[in-house]
Amino acid sequence: MRSYVQSGFFLCALSAMLLFNLACQQADPIDFSSQVKPILNKHCITCHGGVKKNGGFSLLFQEEAFADTESGKPAIIPGNASGSEFIKRLHEEDPELRMPYEKPKLSDEEINLLTEWIDQGAQWGEHWAYSLPEKVEVPKLTEEAGFSNYNTSFVKNGIDHFILNRLQKENVEPNPAADNHILARRVSLDITGLPPGAVLFQNFKQGNMSYDAMIDSLLSQPSFGEKWASWWLDMARYADTKGYEKDQGRSMWQYRDWVIKALNADMPYDQFTIEQLAGDLLPNPSIDQLIATAFHRNTMNNDEGGTEDEEFRVAAVIDRVNTTFDVWQSTAIGCVQCHGHPYDPFKQKDYYNVMAFFNNTRDEDTPDEAPALRFYSPKQQESVDKVNNWVSTYGDPKTVKAYTDFLRFKEPVYKSHDLKDFQNGSYDDHASAVLWNNGSCRLENVWTHGAEYMYLNLYSYYNGTSFTVRKDDASGEILTQFVLNKTEEPETKRIPIKKIDGLTNIHIEITNASAPKTINAMHIYWLAFLPDIPGSDKPGFSKIQREFDKAINFKAPILPVMAENPNYMGRTTQVFERGNWLIKTDTVQPGTPPVLNTWEESWSKDRLGFSKWLVDKKNPLTARTLVNRVWHQIFGRGLVSTVEDIGSQSDFPSHPELLDWLALRFMNEHQWSIKSLVKEIVLSGTYRQESVLTPDSYQRDPENELYARGPRQRLSAEQIRDQALAISGLLSYKMYGPGVMPPQPEGVWQTVYSGEQWLESKGEDRYRRAVYTYLKRTSPYPSFLTFDAGSREVCTIRRTVTNTPLQALVTLNDPVYLEASYHLAKTMLVSDSIEEQLTHGYEKATLSDISPEKLNVLKELYATSLKEFKNDNDSLDQFLHFDESPTAELAALTVVANAIMNLDEFLTKA
C-alpha cells in the first residue's frame, strides 16, 4: 500500500514537472534588446554600469553581469531566478537592501519580466542596432474593414506596406492624399529647398506632368545639392572662421562646394564617406579627393597667445573621433574618452584604438593651418608641372610622391614648436622660433633622407647673420654654415648641408653682432628635408632646381586638408587616464569596437582602412544612420526619433522592420544613392498624405509616430530666407565661391585682433542662397541663429526647432525680408484691382488659393497702411528708402506682402 502511494506521488510530481517545463517552453521568449535592456538602463545601469560598479556588479557586458560580485557569488544565475541575488533585491522591503537603491520599487510587471528572463536562461542577446538582418520581408496587407479602400489608393511602394501594417494594428486610418498644389510645394522644398518653378508647378498642377517625372526634374536641379549641403555642413561643422577666441577667417569654401557637387552628382554614400575621411590616402588622389578631406579640417584652430599647440591638436583629434561616430554611427562615443560607456558596449580602450586611426595626421594647430592645399594660378601651375614632370621622368615613386605632396601642401616639415633647448631665444605665439644674437636651439630625431639640401622657412631682420647647423650639439660636427641677409617677409631658402644617413639631432645657432641684445634677429617657422631632385646629370637640371626654388615660395589661396605622417614621423597613441591628455598610460594600436562589424585583414590600419570598415555592408549602423537622418529631414522625425543616438538609450524605432528594409535597399538596390533613397521616400503614399491634424489625431498620435498624416514642419533658417528671395524674384542662382555677406544689422561683428569686417556684398552676391552666407563661429548670421541654425563649433546632428517672438521680429524687420517684400509687392501690381493684387501675391507666396476670410483681413491691412502712409511722408520715405520715388500704394502693398511672408502657410511645409 505504501509503495503504491509513493508511486502515485512520484507520478504526480513527475507530471507537475513536465507540465511546468512544457509551460516554460511554450512561454514567449523574452527579448533582451527590446524588453530587458530598457529596464536595466532606466533603473540599474547608473550604479551598475561602465562608470560605477557598485558591489562589483555591472550590467553593461554579459561577462560582467554573470561574473562573481564582491560577495563572491554571481548576482544573476541563468535559469535560476529564485537563487539570483539580483531578483531577491528587487523584492526586498527594507529600503537599505532593496534595489534600485533610494529609488521607487520596480513595478510588478517589470520584476516578473526580469524573473522570467532569468528563468529562461538570461539570454543576453544583442542590442537591435548592432546587428543587421540579411533580408526583411515586406508585410502583406490584410483587407480589414475600413482599410480596404486604402490598400489601393494609399499604397504606392514598399514603404507604405510597413506604415499601413502598423496603422491597421492601431486601428488608425491614414489621411487622404494632399492636393497637387500642396504636394508640389512640399516635395520641391524637401528636394531643392525652394518652391517649384512656375512652369514645373503648372505642368504638374494641370496634369501635364506625372508626380514621378516632377521628382526626377527636381532631383536633377543644381539646387538639390545646395539644399542638402546645409544638412551635411551642420554635421561637418563647416564655417568660414577658425573658432575659439580670435576666430579669424579661414578659407574653407572649396570644401562646401565639393559637398554640393558631390550631392548633385549623386556620389555613392560609401565613396562620399571614404573621400572625406581618407581621400588623401587613396592611390594618386585627385585635387577633389584632397578637398574632400577638409571635412575633418573643419575642427577649430586656436591662435590665442600662450596656448599649447599639442593640447589643441589633441582636442582636434578627439573632435574627429567623436564627430565620425556622431555622423556615421549615431553613437555618442565622447564619454568613452574618460571611461567605459555607461550604457553602450564600448570600453575606454575602444576609444583610443579608434583614435589611433586619426592621431597620425600632419596638422598641429599652427596658425598657418598646415597642411593646406594650394590653388596655383595657371602661370604658377606651369612651374609646378615642370618640376613634377621632371621628377616623374627620372625619379622613383617614393620621390615622385614626396615632391608632389610638398608642392601641393608643403608637408612634411618640422615645425618650430618642435625646437627645444633655447639659448637666447624662445618659441613665440606666431608659430615661429625666435633667436637673438648668439641664439641657439635644438631639433631631435630628424630624418634628412640623405639629402644635399635643407629647406628653411624663415624671416630675417638683419643682414649678415651667420647661420650654423651642427650635428647633435654645440660642439658637434658642422653640417652647414652660411650667411643670411634681411628678408622682406617669410620665405623658404634651399641651403646646402652635409649628407647624413638615418635619424639624427641637429643644433642650430646664429650670430650677428649688429643685432641688439634680446632683439629678434630671426624667426624660424619650419625646416624640411626632401630627397634630392633626380636627374642631376641630365641637361636642364639646374633650370628645374630653380623652378622648384621659385615654386616653394609661390603665394596662393589655400584650403586646410588632411595629410598623413610618414613613418619616421609617426605618433604613438596611448590611453589617457580619465581622459587627461597629459597623463598617458597603455599604448594602443588602431582598432575598431568589437561589438560592431569585424575588421578585414585586407584593410590598411589607417584612415582609409577605417573608412572602408565604416561603409562595409556588414556594419550595422552606417546605413541605418543615413536612412534615419534622411527620413528625419523629410518627415521632421526619424524612424528612430533620437536621430543623434541609435544605442541602448535611444528610443526604439517606430517601424524597426521598415528601418532595416530601407537600410538594406540603400546599400544593395540603391547602391548607396542618396537621391534614390530620397525619391523612394517622397514617392510613397505615406509622404503624399494631407498634413491636416484633427484634435482626435493629435490626441492619439501627437508626434506623428504612426505617420497617419503627411509631414508638416517649419522651414529651416536657410529655406525661409531662400524662399523669400525666390518668390520676390531676387534670388541669385549663382553657385560656388567664397562666402558672401548679405545685409545684417549694424554692430553685430566686434572683431578683435584683425581688421576683418562684415562688408555687405553688392550685386547678385547680395541675393545668393543661404548656404553661401559667410559664417563666423563667434558671431553667426543673426537671422539664421534666430531660426535655430547653429555656430557650427561642433558637429550638429539635429537642430532644436523653437517658436519664439524673435522669429516674427526677424521676418517683419530684417532688411532682407523688407526688401523681398517690396519686390514681391511690385510683382503684385498685375491689375488696378486691389483684390486681384492681394490674391496674386498670396498665391505666388503660398501656391494656394486665398480664402475670402484671409482676403478680407489683407484688404483691411492694406487700407490701414495706405491711410497711414498718405498721412506721413516721412514714414513713407523711411520705409521705402531703397525706392527713389516711393508711393503710398506701393508701401501699403509692401506691408501686406511682408505680412504674407509671416503667415504660417509661408513659413511651414504643409
Side-chain angles (χ1 to χ4, degrees):
M1 181 70 178
R2 183 179 179 185
S3 176
Y4 175 80
V5 172
Q6 288 178 335
S7 298
F9 179 79
F10 175 76
L11 288 172
C12 289
L14 181 62
S15 299
M17 290 176 61
L18 289 173
L19 287 171
F20 176 78
N21 288 335
L22 182 62
C24 290
Q25 291 172 7
Q26 291 176 345
D28 292 335
I30 303 298
D31 181 73
F32 175 81
S33 176
S34 63
Q35 295 176 277
V36 175
K37 187 67 171 171
I39 299 174
L40 301 182
N41 283 350
K42 182 179 180 181
H43 300 290
C44 312
I45 207 86
T46 52
C47 295
H48 302 285
V51 183
K52 292 184 179 180
K53 297 181 182 180
N54 291 356
F57 179 47
S58 170
L59 287 160
L60 187 57
F61 297 98
Q62 179 178 0
E63 61 272 19
E64 294 178 340
F66 298 160
D68 288 347
T69 65
E70 289 179 358
S71 68
K73 299 185 298 182
I76 295 176
I77 303 173
N80 184 6
S82 61
S84 297
E85 186 68 17
F86 175 68
I87 298 298
K88 292 179 183 178
R89 289 297 190 97
L90 299 179
H91 287 284
E92 278 284 354
E93 295 301 327
D94 185 344
E96 289 297 314
L97 297 176
R98 189 185 66 224
M99 293 293 153
Y101 184 62
E102 294 186 341
K103 292 181 180 179
K105 185 178 180 180
L106 266 60
S107 68
D108 290 342
E109 181 182 3
E110 290 172 323
I111 294 174
N112 291 338
L113 191 146
L114 293 173
T115 302
E116 190 173 350
W117 169 65
I118 293 177
D119 278 335
Q120 288 183 5
Q123 295 299 313
W124 196 257
E126 193 172 35
H127 182 60
W128 64 266
Y130 300 140
S131 61
L132 191 66
E134 295 181 2
K135 187 178 181 181
V136 177
E137 295 293 337
V138 177
K140 291 182 171 57
L141 298 174
T142 58
E143 298 292 332
E144 295 187 12
F147 281 89
S148 58
N149 293 334
Y150 289 106
N151 286 7
T152 54
S153 61
F154 176 81
V155 175
K156 304 297 182 185
N157 60 22
I159 290 172
D160 303 319
H161 283 259
F162 292 94
I163 298 297
L164 196 58
N165 183 55
R166 183 168 179 198
L167 288 175
Q168 289 179 341
K169 292 177 180 178
E170 301 285 345
N171 197 28
V172 175
E173 291 188 7
N175 272 354
D179 292 337
N180 278 357
H181 67 278
I182 292 176
L183 194 55
R185 179 174 181 267
R186 178 193 296 173
V187 75
S188 183
L189 287 168
D190 277 334
I191 292 178
T192 70
L194 297 171
V199 174
L200 184 70
F201 177 68
Q202 290 301 325
N203 282 339
F204 176 66
K205 185 179 178 182
Q206 295 169 9
N208 299 325
M209 174 183 279
S210 69
Y211 181 61
D212 193 301
M214 180 176 66
I215 291 172
D216 286 338
S217 176
L218 292 169
L219 289 170
S220 67
Q221 293 179 15
S223 49
F224 171 85
E226 292 173 319
K227 189 272 181 188
W228 286 86
S230 290
W231 159 69
W232 188 260
L233 295 176
D234 268 1
M235 294 189 285
R237 64 270 196 248
Y238 168 84
D240 294 292
T241 58
K242 298 181 183 182
Y244 290 122
E245 183 216 26
K246 288 189 176 181
D247 198 26
Q248 294 186 334
R250 168 192 275 171
S251 178
M252 294 297 294
W253 57 267
Q254 292 98 333
Y255 169 72
R256 176 246 290 146
D257 290 353
W258 178 89
V259 172
I260 294 171
K261 292 172 184 176
L263 290 169
N264 276 331
D266 200 21
M267 179 183 287
Y269 188 63
D270 56 347
Q271 180 184 347
F272 187 70
T273 297
I274 290 170
E275 292 195 7
Q276 290 184 87
L277 294 181
D280 58 307
L281 299 177
L282 292 168
N284 302 313
S286 66
I287 295 296
D288 277 350
Q289 288 169 334
L290 293 174
I291 291 173
T293 67
F295 173 87
H296 268 327
R297 292 306 307 280
N298 283 310
T299 46
M300 295 193 293
N301 204 75
N302 197 340
D303 293 341
E304 182 183 356
T307 58
E308 172 65 53
D309 290 346
E310 177 64 8
E311 177 184 359
F312 288 95
R313 183 198 73 81
V314 171
V317 173
I318 288 171
D319 177 83
R320 287 165 194 162
V321 174
N322 298 344
T323 296
T324 300
F325 272 78
D326 284 340
V327 172
W328 277 277
Q329 303 288 273
S330 289
T331 298
I333 204 171
C335 60
V336 190
Q337 174 191 345
C338 301
H339 49 69
H341 203 293
Y343 302 109
D344 294 327
F346 300 103
K347 298 181 179 180
Q348 188 186 20
K349 185 181 177 184
D350 295 339
Y351 187 91
Y352 292 93
N353 289 139
V354 173
M355 185 175 171
F357 288 111
F358 295 92
N359 195 34
N360 210 27
T361 55
R362 285 296 308 136
D363 60 289
E364 298 180 24
D365 195 64
T366 52
D368 63 358
E369 299 267 63
L373 184 63
R374 279 154 173 73
F375 296 89
Y376 295 113
S377 68
K379 187 174 181 181
Q380 290 173 334
Q381 191 63 49
E382 286 182 16
S383 292
V384 171
D385 290 343
K386 286 178 184 177
V387 175
N388 283 333
N389 291 338
W390 179 278
V391 176
S392 296
T393 301
Y394 299 109
D396 57 52
K398 185 177 178 181
T399 304
V400 171
K401 185 178 187 309
Y403 277 87
T404 300
D405 288 352
F406 201 79
L407 288 170
R408 279 181 169 176
F409 40 79
K410 287 189 182 176
E411 286 288 354
V413 302
Y414 294 97
K415 305 284 175 46
S416 56
H417 57 214
D418 293 325
L419 296 169
K420 56 180 61 176
D421 298 337
F422 284 93
Q423 297 292 326
N424 292 328
S426 66
Y427 175 73
D428 76 355
D429 291 332
H430 303 286
S432 67
V434 178
L435 295 179
W436 312 325
N437 180 34
N438 294 323
S440 65
C441 56
R442 173 182 167 87
L443 181 63
E444 296 180 347
N445 297 320
V446 179
W447 186 270
T448 68
H449 298 279
E452 293 182 345
Y453 298 100
M454 175 178 73
Y455 293 91
L456 179 65
N457 188 250
L458 59 90
Y459 182 22
S460 177
Y461 287 86
Y462 298 95
N463 290 325
T465 300
S466 175
F467 188 98
T468 304
V469 178
R470 297 177 181 271
K471 187 175 182 181
D472 292 326
D473 53 36
S475 60
E477 174 189 4
I478 294 178
L479 302 177
T480 187
Q481 191 171 46
F482 53 93
V483 174
L484 286 172
N485 290 322
K486 182 179 180 180
T487 61
E488 297 300 322
E489 59 184 5
E491 63 179 72
T492 302
K493 293 185 176 293
R494 176 170 56 90
I495 300 166
I497 192 169
K498 185 175 181 179
K499 286 189 175 184
I500 305 173
D501 293 324
L503 289 173
T504 190
N505 302 324
I506 62 175
H507 174 83
I508 298 171
E509 57 190 30
I510 70 165
T511 57
N512 190 323
S514 63
K517 188 177 181 180
T518 71
I519 297 297
N520 298 346
M522 182 180 297
H523 286 271
I524 299 174
Y525 294 93
W526 52 258
L527 297 85
F529 297 88
L530 292 167
D532 294 331
I533 295 178
S536 58
D537 57 342
K538 307 296 181 185
F541 171 80
S542 297
K543 183 178 179 181
I544 290 298
Q545 184 70 75
R546 289 193 298 272
E547 289 284 358
F548 179 70
D549 294 345
K550 181 173 65 173
I552 59 177
N553 280 293
F554 283 154
K555 302 293 187 293
I558 63 170
L559 170 72
V561 293
M562 299 292 275
E564 199 78 348
N565 271 322
N567 290 336
Y568 59 86
M569 285 183 166
R571 296 190 184 95
T572 299
T573 303
Q574 295 171 272
V575 175
F576 298 164
E577 183 176 325
R578 296 177 180 262
N580 185 343
W581 72 281
L582 293 173
I583 307 175
K584 297 171 182 171
T585 59
D586 297 340
T587 299
V588 296
Q589 299 301 318
T592 51
V595 70
L596 300 175
N597 50 311
T598 56
W599 182 270
E600 298 288 341
E601 290 302 318
S602 60
W603 297 332
S604 53
K605 287 292 187 75
D606 54 20
R607 284 179 288 114
L608 180 57
F610 178 78
S611 64
K612 291 179 179 179
W613 171 82
L614 268 184
V615 295
D616 180 42
K617 290 185 178 180
K618 296 177 184 176
N619 187 306
L621 291 176
T622 301
R624 273 197 184 108
T625 292
L626 191 280
V627 164
N628 196 48
R629 301 267 170 85
V630 171
W631 187 277
H632 172 263
Q633 285 293 304
I634 293 172
F635 281 96
R637 62 168 286 128
L639 291 167
V640 180
S641 62
T642 50
V643 292
E644 63 282 343
D645 179 24
I646 299 182
S648 61
Q649 285 293 87
S650 72
D651 290 345
F652 196 74
S654 60
H655 298 75
E657 294 83 7
L658 173 58
L659 178 62
D660 288 345
W661 183 77
L662 283 172
L664 291 170
R665 280 181 62 79
F666 177 58
M667 291 187 291
N668 300 317
E669 280 82 359
H670 296 325
Q671 294 296 304
W672 299 95
S673 165
I674 293 178
K675 282 189 176 182
S676 295
L677 174 63
V678 170
K679 181 177 180 179
E680 183 157 41
I681 293 173
V682 299
L683 275 175
S684 67
T686 304
Y687 176 82
R688 300 191 210 186
Q689 296 174 94
E690 285 183 349
S691 61
V692 175
L693 178 65
T694 65
D696 180 63
S697 60
Y698 179 77
Q699 287 296 324
R700 295 198 62 172
D701 187 16
E703 300 297 329
N704 199 21
E705 180 181 324
L706 301 177
Y707 300 102
R709 56 185 183 269
R712 182 183 183 91
Q713 67 235 49
R714 200 205 63 212
L715 301 178
S716 70
E718 293 88 347
Q719 286 177 303
I720 291 171
R721 180 180 180 276
D722 289 348
Q723 181 184 220
L725 294 176
I727 63 129
S728 65
L730 289 174
L731 184 66
S732 165
Y733 290 90
K734 177 182 175 183
M735 298 181 71
Y736 312 129
V740 295
M741 297 181 176
Q744 75 171 9
E746 291 290 333
V748 172
W749 267 30
Q750 297 293 329
T751 304
V752 186
Y753 303 114
S754 72
E756 293 178 349
Q757 296 179 4
W758 186 269
L759 301 175
E760 194 171 291
S761 298
K762 305 300 180 184
E764 69 173 321
D765 280 352
R766 179 186 178 97
Y767 309 112
R768 299 279 300 280
R769 287 199 69 172
V771 71
Y772 300 111
T773 300
Y774 191 94
L775 197 157
K776 185 178 179 71
R777 281 184 161 122
T778 55
S779 183
Y781 193 58
S783 70
F784 293 171
L785 206 59
T786 305
F787 278 102
D788 307 319
S791 62
R792 291 187 177 152
E793 292 172 286
V794 294
C795 170
T796 302
I797 300 300
R798 170 173 53 175
R799 296 182 185 180
T800 301
V801 180
T802 63
N803 188 4
T804 72
L806 287 176
Q807 292 162 354
L809 291 175
V810 167
T811 48
L812 285 169
N813 297 290
D814 188 282
V816 171
Y817 293 95
L818 289 177
E819 188 175 2
S821 301
Y822 166 74
H823 285 273
L824 175 60
K826 290 172 69 174
T827 70
M828 293 162 64
L829 298 171
V830 292
S831 74
D832 294 333
S833 168
I834 187 59
E835 287 85 358
E836 291 183 13
Q837 292 175 6
L838 300 181
T839 298
H840 178 78
Y842 180 89
E843 292 179 355
K844 185 177 178 65
T846 66
L847 301 183
S848 298
D849 295 335
I850 191 169
S851 68
E853 294 80 10
K854 288 179 180 175
L855 180 58
N856 287 334
V857 172
L858 293 181
K859 283 173 64 178
E860 185 178 339
L861 176 61
Y862 175 81
T864 302
S865 302
L866 180 63
K867 182 179 179 180
E868 290 184 3
F869 284 123
K870 282 185 174 180
N871 294 331
D872 190 345
N873 286 329
D874 289 341
S875 294
L876 173 63
D877 292 335
Q878 290 176 15
F879 185 61
L880 294 186
H881 61 275
F882 34 71
D883 191 318
E884 294 181 358
S885 304
T887 66
E889 290 76 12
L890 184 55
L893 210 56
T894 300
V895 170
V896 174
N898 188 234
I900 290 172
M901 287 188 183
N902 277 272
L903 294 175
D904 183 64
E905 49 264 53
F906 181 79
L907 300 173
T908 302
K909 179 191 74 175

